[in-house]
């Protein structure tokens, strides 16, 4: 009798947990999907019906690299570098609060997507050495709750605003924080499970930022990174509202690099970077070359990092990308002074500089928002 009661109690708990999960999923507002080479939000193409100067905008995902939204530094020797000028200390929770507060204004200008990373990006913009310790993963691959709590605030707000988030898992210069390849696999699984357990359907996974740049673990390098793409695809299959679904996933390469065949065959969408590309004509050429890689089929092509601007000129990298029907992403490294850029803490997340204003003004014009 006692065993039966225990069994019934456990069954009740599991049913309640399942119901809670379904309820949590049902409360989500935003779902991203892909139809051919176009992105859709909640079953409709992004920027529905929009054209700009003869260029098709419908289905694109204009985005920005905002990877430091959950940044922290666990190295006591370097954390002082990121101190806010008004307090003299670094505060990761303030950073996330100010990020969340800025999001509605980005959305009002037509920005539909941003990239954030569980291991951030270089807080100096570009770095040879990275002594700071910024990772949502513990050495064994388990998740740090304080990082994920900050991420939850951002993802919840993005979901409410109808925005898509490209969630990067690993970053070179920080991947060595994971003990071994087994830890990388556990970290991948833990991150995927966390996203799914929270019912998020507006998240695209970027396995790692620039897989061809300085990774310690072989599985994060170009020849094997497709293994992690496939792992995310298989791990993330789950039933939502009675239908089977999974997370959409890809990885990115360093500037001026076209994705390789193994990634093209495995990925759901293709990520490229425009860093180092000084001629807009080359951006257009990269898109065309992408579509010639063996294994390519109709799928979105998206730049989610480019540090070239010239937004007041008739030709620039942004316009070259959309001219080839590829999405484009703004990367403004700036400096660590709370007044410039979007990558170097302490970041001012507002649209507060001439460069930011020029970018967002162009996004607003192009998207008709």
């Amino acid at each position: 009798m006692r065993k039966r009661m225990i069994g019934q109690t456990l069954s009740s708990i599991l049913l309640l947990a399942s119901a809670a999960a379904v309820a949590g999923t049902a409360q989500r507002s935003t779902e991203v999907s892909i139809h051919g080479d176009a992105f859709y939000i909640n079953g409709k193409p992004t920027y529905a019906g929009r054209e700009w100067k003869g260029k098709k905008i419908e289905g694109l995902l204009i985005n920005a690299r905002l990877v430091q939204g959950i940044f922290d530094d666990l190295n006591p020797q370097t954390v002082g570098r990121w101190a806010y000028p008004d307090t003299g200390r670094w505060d990761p929770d303030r950073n996330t609060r100010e990020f969340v507060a800025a999001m509605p204004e980005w959305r009002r200008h037509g920005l539909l997507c941003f990239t954030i990373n569980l291991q951030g990006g270089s807080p100096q913009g570009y770095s040879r050495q990275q002594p700071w310790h910024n990772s949502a993963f513990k050495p064994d691959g388990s998740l740090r709750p304080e990082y994920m709590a900050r991420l939850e605030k951002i993802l919840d707000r993005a979901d409410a605003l109808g925005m898509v988030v490209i969630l990067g898992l690993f970053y070179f210069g920080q991947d060595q924080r994971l003990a071994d390849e087994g830890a990388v696999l556990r970290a991948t699984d833990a991150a995927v499970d966390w996203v799914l357990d929270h019912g998020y359907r507006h998240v695209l996974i970027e396995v790692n930022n620039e897989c061809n740049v300085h990774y310690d673990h072989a599985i994060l390098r170009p020849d094997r990174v497709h293994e992690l793409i496939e792992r995310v695809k298989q791990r993330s299959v789950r039933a939502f509202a009675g239908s089977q679904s999974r997370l959409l996933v890809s990885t990115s390469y360093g500037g001026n690099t076209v994705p390789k065949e193994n990634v093209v065959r495995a990925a759901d969408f293709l990520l490229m970077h425009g860093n180092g590309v000084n001629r807009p004509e080359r951006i257009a050429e990269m898109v065309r070359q992408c579509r010639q890689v063996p294994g390519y089929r109709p799928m979105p092509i998206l730049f989610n990092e480019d540090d070239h601007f010239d937004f007041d000129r008739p030709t620039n990298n942004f316009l070259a990308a959309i001219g080839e029907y590829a999405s484009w992403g703004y990367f403004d490294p700036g400096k660590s002074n709370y007044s410039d850029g979007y990558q170097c803490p302490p970041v001012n997340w507002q649209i507060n500089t001439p460069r930011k204003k020029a970018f967002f003004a162009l996004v607003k014009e192009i998207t008709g928002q």
Side-chain angles (χ1 to χ4, degrees), residues 163-198:
M163 299 181 77
V164 175
V165 178
I166 301 172
L167 179 62
L169 305 187
F170 306 106
Y171 182 73
F172 60 85
Q174 296 298 312
D175 74 298
Q176 77 278 10
R177 306 296 180 186
L178 292 150
D180 51 29
E181 185 169 305
V184 173
L185 298 178
R186 287 189 292 274
T188 302
D189 292 348
V192 166
D193 290 348
W194 184 92
V195 171
L196 295 173
D197 289 345
H198 283 72

Side-chain angles (χ1 to χ4, degrees), residues 85-340:
D86 59 342
T87 65
R89 65 183 182 88
W90 166 245
D91 184 345
D93 293 319
R94 172 181 173 177
N95 177 57
T96 298
R97 285 195 307 272
E98 293 184 355
F99 186 106
V100 170
M103 290 169 65
E105 190 65 16
W106 305 336
R107 179 64 185 86
R108 278 192 288 271
H109 281 77
L111 193 79
L112 283 183
C113 178
F114 58 84
T115 299
I116 198 163
N117 195 298
L118 294 179
Q119 293 191 318
S122 170
Q124 294 180 331
Y126 306 93
S127 307
R128 290 185 176 275
Q129 303 297 322
Q130 297 194 41
W132 42 84
H133 185 167
N134 175 36
S135 180
F137 304 114
K138 298 177 183 178
D140 65 356
S142 58
L143 300 173
R144 297 185 187 275
E146 65 276 17
Y147 272 80
M148 305 314 288
R150 294 194 294 272
L151 179 62
E152 185 174 0
K153 291 181 174 65
I154 290 172
L155 294 188
D156 283 353
R157 189 64 173 133
D159 178 67
L161 290 169
M163 299 181 77
V164 175
V165 178
I166 301 172
L167 179 62
L169 305 187
F170 306 106
Y171 182 73
F172 60 85
Q174 296 298 312
D175 74 298
Q176 77 278 10
R177 306 296 180 186
L178 292 150
D180 51 29
E181 185 169 305
V184 173
L185 298 178
R186 287 189 292 274
T188 302
D189 292 348
V192 166
D193 290 348
W194 184 92
V195 171
L196 295 173
D197 289 345
H198 283 72
Y200 294 128
R201 306 190 69 184
H202 63 314
V203 173
L204 304 170
I205 299 294
E206 178 183 15
V207 168
N208 55 337
N209 176 80
E210 300 185 348
C211 65
N212 58 328
V213 181
H214 307 309
Y215 277 94
D216 285 47
H217 299 290
I219 199 168
L220 291 168
R221 299 174 193 157
D223 289 346
R224 293 186 58 201
V225 70
H226 67 282
E227 297 175 29
L228 289 178
I229 293 175
E230 294 291 357
R231 189 179 186 93
V232 170
K233 289 164 66 173
Q234 295 164 11
R235 182 83 179 187
S236 67
V237 173
R238 187 169 295 190
F240 286 106
S243 63
Q244 197 173 75
S245 184
R246 65 169 177 80
L247 296 176
L248 301 169
V249 56
S250 188
T251 195
S252 65
Y253 292 78
N256 202 18
T257 304
V258 174
K260 308 307 179 188
E261 180 178 351
N262 60 324
V263 165
V264 171
R265 291 188 181 280
D268 295 302
F269 55 97
L270 299 179
L271 291 172
M272 292 192 293
H273 289 176
N275 304 340
V277 181
N278 298 313
R279 295 184 305 107
E281 297 82 4
R282 173 56 184 157
I283 292 289
E285 182 182 52
M286 289 171 66
V287 177
R288 293 192 295 270
Q289 288 177 348
C290 248
R291 295 187 173 120
Q292 297 302 314
V293 176
Y296 177 82
R297 65 278 182 199
M299 60 199 304
I301 297 173
L302 186 153
F303 289 84
N304 71 329
E305 181 177 341
D306 194 340
D307 59 0
H308 292 84
F309 315 113
D310 295 331
F311 300 125
D312 59 336
R313 296 186 180 182
T315 59
N316 55 52
N317 287 9
F318 186 176
L319 301 185
I322 65 173
E324 294 292 331
Y325 197 62
S327 304
W328 190 82
Y330 170 61
F331 170 43
D332 186 353
K335 301 175 182 177
S336 299
N337 59 7
Y338 198 60
S339 65
D340 188 24

